[in-house]
Amino acid sequence: MKTRYKFLIGLGIIILGIKGLNYYNYNNYKAKQKMRIELFFHYNYNNIDSLTFTKTKKNPMGTLVFSGYFNDDKENDFTADVMPYQKEFEGNITINGTFDTENAKFENEKTYSVSEIEKIQQKEHPEKE
């Protein structure tokens, strides 16, 4: 009987350890995506002083949805999506209101994806690798 209990306790510790690692990796992944979202907003739009994330959830289709607002104005809210087929955030956003049309940095309201932004930044500053 003692061997059975030792086995069950050991198995429980292993399962908890794996769950803990998955939780840690998931939180790191979310933090990295938030940084990519901030990069996207600061590069593509004028007049953005701060971003505040209010909620992160995974919908039934597997899309990771980040919600928040910018410039401490809850009227300027946004959602940013990381689709299941994407490994990282690239630029799937929805902005409430007319902020995106009024504050776009580039002509024709063009926005650059995060991968394009990173390539541009590497060309401008090749020493930062």
Side-chain angles (χ1 to χ4, degrees), residues 33-107:
Q33 299 317 306
K34 287 179 181 180
M35 288 179 6
R36 290 176 67 88
I37 293 167
E38 289 176 0
L39 175 66
F40 177 84
F41 272 104
H42 288 295
Y43 191 84
N44 287 308
Y45 296 102
N46 293 318
N47 302 326
I48 292 187
D49 298 324
S50 65
L51 285 176
T52 305
F53 292 94
T54 56
K55 144 172 94 165
T56 304
K57 67 178 181 176
K58 195 171 210 173
N59 70 15
M61 296 298 289
T63 302
L64 189 60
V65 180
F66 294 88
S67 301
Y69 56 92
F70 44 88
N71 295 342
D72 296 324
D73 183 7
K74 293 185 179 182
E75 296 292 319
N76 291 331
D77 61 334
F78 70 89
T79 58
D81 304 330
V82 181
M83 302 295 184
Y85 57 85
Q86 295 175 318
K87 296 202 184 291
E88 296 183 327
F89 175 77
E90 286 298 326
N92 301 337
I93 61 161
T94 305
I95 299 175
N96 189 20
T98 60
F99 182 86
D100 57 342
T101 56
E102 294 171 356
N103 293 297
K105 280 187 182 178
F106 305 105
E107 293 178 13

